[in-house]
């Protein structure tokens, strides 16, 4: 099982989702995806793949995992493996 670190941006995005009653379903989907990501970053329902437009803080490979499927503007989680601490994932951003 992996542990998480969050950037300030991703903390703020998660808080905004949680505090907005109209986005309750999206918040629930994001938390469920985070649970899958914590257990197995390669879980089939996440459809994780390399995100080539960005790199992590120290040049780590940025990954993209889908939270929602078959929806317009699905939420995605951008993350990378922490190069300083084994078994840790840094959540870079949560975007629609």
């Amino acid at each position: 099982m992996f542990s998480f670190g969050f950037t300030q941006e991703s903390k703020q995005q998660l808080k905004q989702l949680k505090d907005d009653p109209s986005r309750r379903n999206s918040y629930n989907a994001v938390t469920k995806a985070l649970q899958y990501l914590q257990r197995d970053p390669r879980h089939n329902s996440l459809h994780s793949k390399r995100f080539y437009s960005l790199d992590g803080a120290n040049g780590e490979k940025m990954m993209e995992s889908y939270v929602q499927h078959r929806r317009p503007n699905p939420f995605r989680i951008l993350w990378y493996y922490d190069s300083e601490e084994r078994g840790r994932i840094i959540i870079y951003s949560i975007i629609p």
Side-chain angles (χ1 to χ4, degrees):
M1 199 179 261
F2 290 86
S3 63
F4 285 140
F6 289 85
T7 62
Q8 288 298 324
E9 179 182 357
S10 64
K11 282 181 188 177
Q12 182 181 2
Q13 292 163 336
L14 194 58
K15 184 179 181 330
Q16 287 174 346
L17 273 177
K18 184 178 182 179
D19 294 343
D20 185 351
S22 67
R23 294 183 129 182
R24 177 58 69 191
N25 288 339
S26 296
Y27 173 74
N28 290 339
V30 167
T31 57
K32 184 176 181 178
L34 287 171
Q35 290 172 357
Y36 285 146
L37 188 59
Q38 187 174 32
R39 280 184 267 154
D40 180 10
R42 297 179 185 188
H43 193 281
N44 288 340
S45 70
L46 294 173
H47 297 279
S48 296
K49 62 182 180 179
R50 174 86 194 273
F51 189 74
Y52 290 96
S53 300
L54 290 172
D55 288 326
N58 296 316
E60 299 92 348
K61 294 178 182 177
M62 186 69 65
M63 303 295 288
E64 172 186 45
S65 296
Y66 282 85
V67 172
Q68 300 162 317
H69 306 282
R70 299 183 191 102
R71 290 181 155 216
N73 300 322
F75 273 87
R76 296 170 288 154
I77 300 171
L78 299 180
W79 58 275
Y80 58 90
Y81 293 105
D82 191 345
S83 62
E84 297 174 3
E85 186 179 331
R86 188 175 174 93
R88 184 175 161 97
I89 291 175
I90 304 298
I91 306 299
Y92 181 79
S93 186
I94 301 166
I95 55 176

